[in-house]
Amino acid sequence: MAEPRIARAPARSEPVAEYEREPVPERAWLGFRSFIGQYAGEHTAGTELMIGPLFVASGVAAIDVIGGLLAGNLLAVLSWVFLTAPIATRSRLTLYFQLEKICGRRLVTIYNIANGVMFCFLAGAMITVNTTAVGVWFDMRMPGLNDLYPNGAGWVAASLVMGVLVTVVAAYGYAFVARVANIAAPWMVLVFIAFGLVGLQQIGVESVSDFWPKAQAVIWTGGAPLPGQVKFSFWHVLFFAWFCNMAMHIGMADLSVLRYARKSWYAVSTASGMYLGHFIAWLAASILYAAQLHADPANTDVLPGPLAYNACGAAGIVCVIVAGWTTANPTIYRAGLAFQAIAPRSSRYKVTLFTGALATVAGMFPAIAMKLLGFVALYGLVLMPMGAVIFVDFWLAGRLGFRASYAEATGSRVNWAAGITWVATLALCLGVVGAGGAQIFFVGLPGWFCAAALYVLLSRLLQRPS
């Protein structure tokens, strides 16, 4: 048998140890409170002021958006608790080193490039949101709902400043990221609640009994979507809420975060993000946007900065900026780990700075933020098949007659079973979407089961005998 070719952790000086190629030692494990703050901070983001308005723009009905968000966010929490966290707290490895053991060096390099680039784009959307907040103070010309490119030197300069700030925090490691989030999260949640209350006042809600009639008539009317938007139903909202973070839970990206948790059940902390962020913040942002349309039906721009400023003044602007930080920080941290895994002897700190530079450039282009609903579904779909591969390899390999961590065991640089599974599942899912058979929100769940079954079949067919 050939010697394994998994590179080990090099000896190098870093500002902080992140255990990129070894299990997190017990002395570095974190308590439950760290994850409460981190998930609340990450998912109560400036981008919630992008996503909430898009529900209004899609013409969803009030009962569908509230019911869909309650159910979809619960399913997301359960996915973290029962799929991601048990593996994270047993192996305590990053997603990227775990995959390298399974897939081999060459295949995981391709995956890490795709993973890192997608996370850079997502962090770039956070930087775009922050720039809309800064733009209010400097009276910059803002991008419209369908704009793709930077619209001036001021926009580029503001994006650069915002990108530098979030990158420096991410470069100092997960513990620093969690600390920043814990400080910021409680205040941000209160400001988002204030956004919703101000928006309700602007559309004429003066008592609790006024809310539901106004919600149906003014906010989530169930009517035709705005031009260029897809009509949403209950199922659209449920599957979007469940799978907008598909890359993190069933795609297993949060192995890199939850490997620090003392206990597997700490993953219930994701509920702080799902219900404070993806429920309260989305609804509050929807209300603000509905108030904007109510005042001026021709003003369809989705700009977090102006929305927040019109509701809460300077406090709203600061909230958007801080919310963008607390989401972009862990996103750039994950992307930095992906790129560092490509060159294990490189400094994670320096690679994260480079990653932040890429995210900053992406943030200068408003196209990603303006199409955020579709983008988060796409990036989750790209990473989802490898999540199924990790789940099957970790729990089922021995029981189903093939070897776990095949690349490490054989010294193989490419595990073809994993590679074919990834490409074939993506081709199938995107083919269904492209043919009009289903919208992108709906293909992730059946795609995960297809990937799991395909990896089992191909592993039994292609693995060399021991």
Side-chain angles (χ1 to χ4, degrees):
M1 180 184 296
E3 288 297 319
R5 297 176 181 172
I6 303 296
R8 297 300 167 190
R12 63 178 185 269
S13 176
E14 290 273 21
V16 63
E18 287 300 299
Y19 315 105
E20 302 98 325
R21 302 184 69 77
E22 59 187 303
V24 174
E26 186 172 356
R27 67 179 181 275
W29 296 355
L30 297 174
F32 183 65
R33 207 172 87 180
S34 293
F35 297 92
I36 287 277
Q38 191 266 313
Y39 280 106
E42 181 177 2
H43 297 283
T44 307
T47 46
E48 316 319 337
L49 289 166
M50 298 291 308
I51 293 173
L54 295 176
F55 287 129
V56 175
S58 70
V60 70
I63 188 66
D64 291 337
V65 72
I66 293 175
L69 290 180
L70 286 171
N73 287 319
L74 175 61
L75 290 169
V77 171
L78 294 177
S79 298
W80 267 297
V81 170
F82 292 110
L83 296 180
T84 315
I87 298 175
T89 54
R90 284 166 172 81
S91 70
R92 300 203 176 273
L93 301 175
T94 67
L95 163 71
Y96 315 106
F97 193 42
Q98 185 100 352
L99 268 180
E100 188 175 328
K101 289 170 173 284
I102 298 169
C103 298
R105 185 88 188 120
R106 288 179 182 168
L107 178 57
V108 85
T109 295
I110 298 171
Y111 173 86
N112 286 345
I113 292 171
N115 195 338
V117 168
M118 298 298 273
F119 278 127
C120 280
F121 285 167
L122 183 61
M126 317 300 170
I127 292 169
T128 299
V129 168
N130 279 12
T131 307
T132 69
V134 174
V136 172
W137 275 333
F138 292 95
D139 197 26
M140 293 190 314
R141 187 163 65 90
M142 299 287 189
L145 187 58
N146 296 309
D147 283 351
L148 303 179
Y149 302 104
N151 56 9
W155 177 269
V156 171
S159 298
L160 179 62
V161 172
M162 291 295 101
V164 169
L165 291 174
V166 298
T167 299
V168 169
V169 172
Y172 273 89
Y174 178 73
F176 193 52
V177 168
R179 195 176 305 125
V180 171
N182 271 286
I183 294 169
W187 175 77
M188 289 191 305
V189 170
L190 292 176
V191 176
F192 268 94
I193 292 172
F195 288 160
L197 294 176
V198 170
L200 289 174
Q201 185 179 42
Q202 290 174 346
I203 62 174
V205 175
E206 297 178 354
S207 65
V208 174
S209 61
D210 289 339
F211 171 73
W212 192 244
K214 288 287 187 179
Q216 293 176 301
V218 179
I219 308 171
W220 306 288
T221 63
L226 293 179
Q229 303 300 310
V230 174
K231 171 69 176 177
F232 266 30
S233 67
F234 167 84
W235 295 108
H236 289 82
V237 177
L238 182 149
F239 276 91
F240 178 77
W242 186 4
F243 289 138
C244 69
N245 291 120
M246 181 176 7
M248 313 300 187
H249 45 72
I250 71 171
M252 298 291 174
D254 271 0
L255 293 180
S256 300
V257 171
L258 291 170
R259 66 194 169 118
Y260 285 97
R262 290 188 181 278
K263 303 287 185 181
S264 174
W265 66 264
Y266 286 8
V268 300
S269 62
T270 58
S272 68
M274 295 304 98
Y275 286 99
L276 296 177
H278 291 185
F279 184 74
I280 290 176
W282 284 354
L283 294 183
S286 287
I287 293 166
L288 279 186
Y289 187 63
Q292 174 181 298
L293 292 176
H294 185 64
D296 181 7
N299 183 10
T300 60
D301 292 342
V302 180
L303 296 169
L307 280 173
Y309 182 75
N310 291 336
C312 293
I317 294 296
V318 173
C319 179
V320 170
I321 293 172
V322 174
W325 282 2
T326 58
T327 303
N329 289 339
T331 304
I332 292 176
Y333 171 77
R334 292 184 183 98
L337 286 175
F339 288 136
Q340 193 271 341
I342 297 170
R345 295 189 177 277
S346 61
S347 162
R348 185 207 58 83
Y349 176 77
K350 293 178 181 177
V351 169
T352 303
L353 293 178
F354 169 75
T355 302
L358 292 180
T360 300
V361 172
M364 295 175 184
F365 294 82
I368 299 170
M370 297 302 171
K371 304 295 181 184
L372 198 58
L373 289 184
F375 175 75
V376 294
L378 175 62
Y379 97 92
L381 193 65
V382 169
L383 306 184
M384 169 271 295
M386 285 303 193
V389 166
I390 290 173
F391 180 86
V392 169
D393 196 87
F394 191 88
W395 293 114
L396 303 177
R399 300 175 186 178
L400 298 180
F402 60 94
R403 274 177 289 179
S405 299
Y406 180 70
E408 182 181 44
T410 63
S412 173
R413 292 184 180 272
V414 177
N415 178 346
W416 287 104
I420 295 170
T421 295
W422 185 28
V423 173
T425 303
L426 275 181
L428 176 63
C429 291
L430 293 176
V432 170
V433 173
Q439 290 177 357
I440 195 167
F441 312 115
F442 298 124
V443 297
L445 182 61
W448 191 91
F449 285 102
C450 287
L454 188 57
Y455 181 62
V456 170
L457 176 63
L458 291 173
S459 293
R460 289 179 61 88
L461 288 174
L462 299 179
Q463 281 192 4
R464 300 194 302 267
S466 301

CSV table of all heavy atoms in Angstrom, one decimal, residues 286-325:
chain,number,residue,atom,x,y,z
A,286,SER,N,-38.7,43.4,5.6
A,286,SER,CA,-39.8,43.4,4.8
A,286,SER,C,-40.8,44.6,5.1
A,286,SER,O,-41.3,45.2,4.1
A,286,SER,CB,-40.6,42.1,4.9
A,286,SER,OG,-40.0,41.0,4.4
A,287,ILE,N,-41.0,44.8,6.3
A,287,ILE,CA,-41.9,45.9,6.8
A,287,ILE,C,-41.3,47.2,6.3
A,287,ILE,O,-42.1,48.1,5.8
A,287,ILE,CB,-42.1,45.8,8.3
A,287,ILE,CG1,-42.9,44.6,8.7
A,287,ILE,CG2,-42.8,47.1,8.8
A,287,ILE,CD1,-42.9,44.3,10.1
A,288,LEU,N,-40.0,47.4,6.5
A,288,LEU,CA,-39.4,48.7,6.1
A,288,LEU,C,-39.6,48.9,4.6
A,288,LEU,O,-39.9,50.0,4.1
A,288,LEU,CB,-37.9,48.7,6.4
A,288,LEU,CG,-37.5,49.0,7.8
A,288,LEU,CD1,-36.0,49.1,7.9
A,288,LEU,CD2,-38.1,50.4,8.3
A,289,TYR,N,-39.4,47.9,3.8
A,289,TYR,CA,-39.5,48.0,2.3
A,289,TYR,C,-40.9,48.2,1.9
A,289,TYR,O,-41.2,49.0,1.0
A,289,TYR,CB,-38.9,46.7,1.7
A,289,TYR,CG,-38.8,46.8,0.2
A,289,TYR,CD1,-38.0,47.7,-0.4
A,289,TYR,CD2,-39.6,46.0,-0.6
A,289,TYR,CE1,-37.9,47.8,-1.8
A,289,TYR,CE2,-39.5,46.0,-2.0
A,289,TYR,CZ,-38.6,47.0,-2.6
A,289,TYR,OH,-38.5,47.0,-4.0
A,290,ALA,N,-41.9,47.6,2.6
A,290,ALA,CA,-43.3,47.8,2.3
A,290,ALA,C,-43.6,49.3,2.6
A,290,ALA,O,-44.4,49.9,1.9
A,290,ALA,CB,-44.1,46.9,3.1
A,291,ALA,N,-43.1,49.8,3.7
A,291,ALA,CA,-43.3,51.2,4.0
A,291,ALA,C,-42.8,52.1,2.9
A,291,ALA,O,-43.4,53.2,2.6
A,291,ALA,CB,-42.7,51.6,5.4
A,292,GLN,N,-41.6,51.8,2.4
A,292,GLN,CA,-41.0,52.6,1.3
A,292,GLN,C,-41.9,52.6,0.1
A,292,GLN,O,-42.2,53.6,-0.5
A,292,GLN,CB,-39.6,52.0,1.0
A,292,GLN,CG,-38.9,52.7,-0.2
A,292,GLN,CD,-37.6,52.0,-0.5
A,292,GLN,OE1,-36.7,52.1,0.3
A,292,GLN,NE2,-37.5,51.4,-1.7
A,293,LEU,N,-42.4,51.4,-0.3
A,293,LEU,CA,-43.3,51.3,-1.4
A,293,LEU,C,-44.6,52.0,-1.2
A,293,LEU,O,-45.2,52.5,-2.1
A,293,LEU,CB,-43.5,49.8,-1.8
A,293,LEU,CG,-42.3,49.0,-2.3
A,293,LEU,CD1,-42.7,47.5,-2.5
A,293,LEU,CD2,-41.8,49.6,-3.6
A,294,HIS,N,-45.1,51.9,0.1
A,294,HIS,CA,-46.3,52.5,0.4
A,294,HIS,C,-46.2,54.0,0.2
A,294,HIS,O,-47.2,54.7,-0.2
A,294,HIS,CB,-46.7,52.2,1.9
A,294,HIS,CG,-48.0,52.7,2.3
A,294,HIS,ND1,-49.2,52.3,1.8
A,294,HIS,CD2,-48.3,53.6,3.3
A,294,HIS,CE1,-50.2,52.9,2.4
A,294,HIS,NE2,-49.7,53.7,3.3
A,295,ALA,N,-45.1,54.6,0.6
A,295,ALA,CA,-44.8,56.0,0.5
A,295,ALA,C,-44.6,56.5,-1.0
A,295,ALA,O,-45.0,57.5,-1.4
A,295,ALA,CB,-43.7,56.5,1.3
A,296,ASP,N,-43.9,55.6,-1.8
A,296,ASP,CA,-43.6,55.9,-3.2
A,296,ASP,C,-43.5,54.6,-3.9
A,296,ASP,O,-42.5,53.9,-4.0
A,296,ASP,CB,-42.3,56.6,-3.2
A,296,ASP,CG,-41.9,57.0,-4.7
A,296,ASP,OD1,-42.7,56.8,-5.6
A,296,ASP,OD2,-40.7,57.5,-4.9
A,297,PRO,N,-44.6,54.2,-4.6
A,297,PRO,CA,-44.6,52.9,-5.3
A,297,PRO,C,-43.6,52.8,-6.4
A,297,PRO,O,-43.2,51.7,-6.8
A,297,PRO,CB,-46.0,52.8,-5.9
A,297,PRO,CG,-46.9,53.7,-5.0
A,297,PRO,CD,-45.9,54.8,-4.6
A,298,ALA,N,-43.1,53.9,-6.9
A,298,ALA,CA,-42.1,53.9,-7.9
A,298,ALA,C,-40.7,53.6,-7.4
A,298,ALA,O,-39.8,53.3,-8.1
A,298,ALA,CB,-42.1,55.2,-8.7
A,299,ASN,N,-40.5,53.8,-6.1
A,299,ASN,CA,-39.2,53.6,-5.5
A,299,ASN,C,-39.0,52.1,-5.1
A,299,ASN,O,-39.2,51.7,-4.0
A,299,ASN,CB,-39.0,54.5,-4.2
A,299,ASN,CG,-37.6,54.4,-3.6
A,299,ASN,OD1,-36.7,53.8,-4.2
A,299,ASN,ND2,-37.4,54.9,-2.4
A,300,THR,N,-38.5,51.3,-6.0
A,300,THR,CA,-38.3,49.9,-5.8
A,300,THR,C,-36.9,49.5,-5.4
A,300,THR,O,-36.6,48.3,-5.3
A,300,THR,CB,-38.8,49.1,-7.1
A,300,THR,OG1,-37.9,49.5,-8.2
A,300,THR,CG2,-40.2,49.3,-7.4
A,301,ASP,N,-36.0,50.5,-5.2
A,301,ASP,CA,-34.6,50.2,-4.9
A,301,ASP,C,-34.5,49.4,-3.6
A,301,ASP,O,-35.2,49.8,-2.6
A,301,ASP,CB,-33.8,51.4,-4.8
A,301,ASP,CG,-33.6,52.1,-6.2
A,301,ASP,OD1,-33.8,51.4,-7.2
A,301,ASP,OD2,-33.3,53.3,-6.2
A,302,VAL,N,-33.7,48.4,-3.5
A,302,VAL,CA,-33.4,47.7,-2.3
A,302,VAL,C,-32.0,48.1,-1.8
A,302,VAL,O,-31.0,47.5,-2.2
A,302,VAL,CB,-33.5,46.2,-2.5
A,302,VAL,CG1,-33.2,45.4,-1.2
A,302,VAL,CG2,-34.9,45.8,-3.0
A,303,LEU,N,-32.0,49.1,-0.9
A,303,LEU,CA,-30.7,49.6,-0.4
A,303,LEU,C,-30.7,49.6,1.1
A,303,LEU,O,-31.4,50.4,1.7
A,303,LEU,CB,-30.5,51.0,-1.0
A,303,LEU,CG,-30.4,51.1,-2.5
A,303,LEU,CD1,-30.4,52.6,-2.9
A,303,LEU,CD2,-29.1,50.5,-2.9
A,304,PRO,N,-30.0,48.7,1.8
A,304,PRO,CA,-30.0,48.6,3.2
A,304,PRO,C,-29.7,49.9,3.9
A,304,PRO,O,-30.3,50.3,4.9
A,304,PRO,CB,-29.0,47.5,3.5
A,304,PRO,CG,-29.0,46.7,2.3
A,304,PRO,CD,-29.2,47.6,1.1
A,305,GLY,N,-28.7,50.7,3.4
A,305,GLY,CA,-28.3,51.9,4.1
A,305,GLY,C,-29.4,52.9,4.2
A,305,GLY,O,-29.8,53.3,5.3
A,306,PRO,N,-30.0,53.3,3.1
A,306,PRO,CA,-31.1,54.2,3.2
A,306,PRO,C,-32.3,53.7,3.9
A,306,PRO,O,-33.0,54.5,4.7
A,306,PRO,CB,-31.5,54.5,1.7
A,306,PRO,CG,-30.2,54.3,1.0
A,306,PRO,CD,-29.5,53.2,1.7
A,307,LEU,N,-32.6,52.4,3.8
A,307,LEU,CA,-33.8,51.8,4.6
A,307,LEU,C,-33.5,52.0,6.1
A,307,LEU,O,-34.4,52.4,6.8
A,307,LEU,CB,-33.9,50.3,4.2
A,307,LEU,CG,-34.7,50.0,3.0
A,307,LEU,CD1,-34.6,48.5,2.7
A,307,LEU,CD2,-36.1,50.4,3.0
A,308,ALA,N,-32.3,51.7,6.5
A,308,ALA,CA,-32.0,51.7,7.9
A,308,ALA,C,-32.0,53.2,8.4
A,308,ALA,O,-32.4,53.5,9.5
A,308,ALA,CB,-30.6,51.1,8.2
A,309,TYR,N,-31.4,54.1,7.6
A,309,TYR,CA,-31.3,55.5,8.0
A,309,TYR,C,-32.7,56.1,8.1
A,309,TYR,O,-33.0,56.9,9.1
A,309,TYR,CB,-30.5,56.2,7.0
A,309,TYR,CG,-30.3,57.7,7.3
A,309,TYR,CD1,-29.4,58.1,8.4
A,309,TYR,CD2,-31.0,58.7,6.7
A,309,TYR,CE1,-29.2,59.4,8.7
A,309,TYR,CE2,-30.8,60.0,7.0
A,309,TYR,CZ,-29.9,60.4,8.0
A,309,TYR,OH,-29.8,61.7,8.4
A,310,ASN,N,-33.6,55.8,7.2
A,310,ASN,CA,-34.9,56.4,7.2
A,310,ASN,C,-35.7,55.9,8.4
A,310,ASN,O,-36.6,56.6,8.9
A,310,ASN,CB,-35.7,56.0,5.9
A,310,ASN,CG,-35.1,56.7,4.7
A,310,ASN,OD1,-34.5,57.8,4.8
A,310,ASN,ND2,-35.4,56.2,3.6
A,311,ALA,N,-35.3,54.7,8.9
A,311,ALA,CA,-36.0,54.2,10.1
A,311,ALA,C,-35.5,54.7,11.4
A,311,ALA,O,-36.2,55.1,12.3
A,311,ALA,CB,-36.0,52.7,10.1
A,312,CYS,N,-34.1,54.6,11.6
A,312,CYS,CA,-33.5,54.9,12.9
A,312,CYS,C,-32.3,55.8,12.8
A,312,CYS,O,-31.6,55.9,13.8
A,312,CYS,CB,-33.0,53.5,13.5
A,312,CYS,SG,-34.4,52.4,14.0
A,313,GLY,N,-32.2,56.6,11.7
A,313,GLY,CA,-31.1,57.6,11.7
A,313,GLY,C,-29.7,57.0,11.8
A,313,GLY,O,-29.5,55.9,11.2
A,314,ALA,N,-28.9,57.7,12.5
A,314,ALA,CA,-27.5,57.2,12.6
A,314,ALA,C,-27.3,55.8,13.2
A,314,ALA,O,-26.5,55.0,12.8
A,314,ALA,CB,-26.7,58.2,13.4
A,315,ALA,N,-28.2,55.5,14.2
A,315,ALA,CA,-28.2,54.2,14.8
A,315,ALA,C,-28.4,53.1,13.8
A,315,ALA,O,-27.8,52.0,13.8
A,315,ALA,CB,-29.2,54.1,15.9
A,316,GLY,N,-29.3,53.4,12.8
A,316,GLY,CA,-29.6,52.4,11.8
A,316,GLY,C,-28.4,52.2,10.9
A,316,GLY,O,-28.1,51.0,10.5
A,317,ILE,N,-27.7,53.3,10.6
A,317,ILE,CA,-26.5,53.1,9.7
A,317,ILE,C,-25.4,52.3,10.4
A,317,ILE,O,-24.8,51.4,9.9
A,317,ILE,CB,-25.9,54.5,9.4
A,317,ILE,CG1,-26.9,55.3,8.5
A,317,ILE,CG2,-24.6,54.4,8.7
A,317,ILE,CD1,-27.1,54.6,7.1
A,318,VAL,N,-25.2,52.7,11.7
A,318,VAL,CA,-24.2,51.9,12.5
A,318,VAL,C,-24.5,50.4,12.6
A,318,VAL,O,-23.7,49.6,12.5
A,318,VAL,CB,-24.0,52.5,13.9
A,318,VAL,CG1,-23.1,51.7,14.7
A,318,VAL,CG2,-23.4,54.0,13.8
A,319,CYS,N,-25.8,50.1,12.8
A,319,CYS,CA,-26.3,48.8,12.8
A,319,CYS,C,-26.0,48.0,11.6
A,319,CYS,O,-25.5,46.9,11.6
A,319,CYS,CB,-27.8,48.7,13.2
A,319,CYS,SG,-28.4,47.0,13.3
A,320,VAL,N,-26.2,48.6,10.4
A,320,VAL,CA,-25.9,47.9,9.2
A,320,VAL,C,-24.5,47.6,9.0
A,320,VAL,O,-24.1,46.6,8.6
A,320,VAL,CB,-26.4,48.8,8.0
A,320,VAL,CG1,-26.0,48.2,6.6
A,320,VAL,CG2,-28.0,48.9,8.0
A,321,ILE,N,-23.6,48.6,9.4
A,321,ILE,CA,-22.2,48.4,9.3
A,321,ILE,C,-21.7,47.3,10.2
A,321,ILE,O,-21.0,46.4,9.8
A,321,ILE,CB,-21.4,49.7,9.6
A,321,ILE,CG1,-21.7,50.8,8.5
A,321,ILE,CG2,-19.9,49.5,9.7
A,321,ILE,CD1,-21.2,52.2,8.8
A,322,VAL,N,-22.1,47.3,11.4
A,322,VAL,CA,-21.7,46.3,12.4
A,322,VAL,C,-22.3,44.9,12.0
A,322,VAL,O,-21.6,43.9,12.1
A,322,VAL,CB,-22.1,46.7,13.8
A,322,VAL,CG1,-21.8,45.6,14.8
A,322,VAL,CG2,-21.4,48.0,14.3
A,323,ALA,N,-23.5,44.9,11.5
A,323,ALA,CA,-24.1,43.6,11.1
A,323,ALA,C,-23.4,43.1,9.9
A,323,ALA,O,-23.2,41.8,9.8
A,323,ALA,CB,-25.6,43.8,10.8
A,324,GLY,N,-22.9,43.9,9.0
A,324,GLY,CA,-22.1,43.4,7.9
A,324,GLY,C,-20.8,42.9,8.4
A,324,GLY,O,-20.3,41.8,7.9
A,325,TRP,N,-20.2,43.5,9.4
A,325,TRP,CA,-18.9,43.0,9.9
A,325,TRP,C,-19.1,41.6,10.5
A,325,TRP,O,-18.3,40.7,10.2
A,325,TRP,CB,-18.4,43.9,11.1
A,325,TRP,CG,-17.8,45.2,10.7
A,325,TRP,CD1,-17.6,45.6,9.4
A,325,TRP,CD2,-17.2,46.1,11.5
A,325,TRP,NE1,-17.0,46.8,9.4
A,325,TRP,CE2,-16.7,47.2,10.7
A,325,TRP,CE3,-17.1,46.2,12.9
A,325,TRP,CZ2,-16.1,48.3,11.3
A,325,TRP,CZ3,-16.5,47.4,13.4
A,325,TRP,CH2,-16.0,48.4,12.6
